[in-house]
Amino acid sequence: MKSPKWNTEMFKRDVNKIDDLLSKVLHDMHLDTPLREKRLVDSWDEVAGPVVARYSGNKYIRNQILCVEIKNPALKANLMMMRSRLVDKLNANAGSRVITDIKFY
């Protein structure tokens, strides 16, 4: 008795990675940008370092500009000179270009 020939096409499945599916769902629901922004704001303390984090207050993003409250005027002046490096590090940590500038207040 001959064994039946299986049609391999019948068993092929379109398999996607879960992170690809989640990314697509977040994008379709317009939630990917707020999620990236949240990740970037949350990473401020790690990227800026513990000393800067200690003097940092409220943080938020408006129009692709990260606004950070700095409670020490001398530190604020130093951070102003490091803005472009901080922008690059924060965006790299977030995995995409989320912000274009930082405003310290």
Side-chain angles (χ1 to χ4, degrees), residues 9-95:
E9 292 295 317
M10 195 167 84
F11 292 105
K12 285 188 179 180
R13 293 187 179 150
D14 188 21
V15 179
N16 295 316
K17 293 181 183 177
I18 189 76
D19 58 341
D20 294 338
L21 291 172
L22 283 174
S23 294
K24 182 177 178 351
V25 168
L26 290 171
H27 179 73
D28 291 348
M29 296 177 70
H30 305 287
L31 295 173
D32 54 339
T33 300
L35 182 61
R36 284 190 195 111
E37 289 177 352
K38 171 86 169 97
R39 280 190 199 140
L40 187 134
V41 169
D42 289 347
S43 71
W44 170 258
D45 291 350
E46 177 188 336
V47 172
V51 173
V52 175
R54 189 174 326 133
Y55 292 100
S56 298
N58 294 328
K59 300 172 280 296
Y60 60 91
I61 296 176
R62 181 175 291 147
N63 297 327
Q64 291 186 310
I65 298 173
L66 175 63
C67 301
V68 182
E69 177 186 15
I70 302 295
K71 299 171 184 173
N72 181 309
L75 180 59
K76 187 187 306 184
N78 285 340
L79 290 171
M80 289 292 290
M81 293 184 285
M82 298 173 46
R83 264 191 349 220
S84 63
R85 277 188 281 158
L86 286 168
V87 167
D88 292 341
K89 285 182 178 183
L90 288 162
N91 281 331
N93 202 21

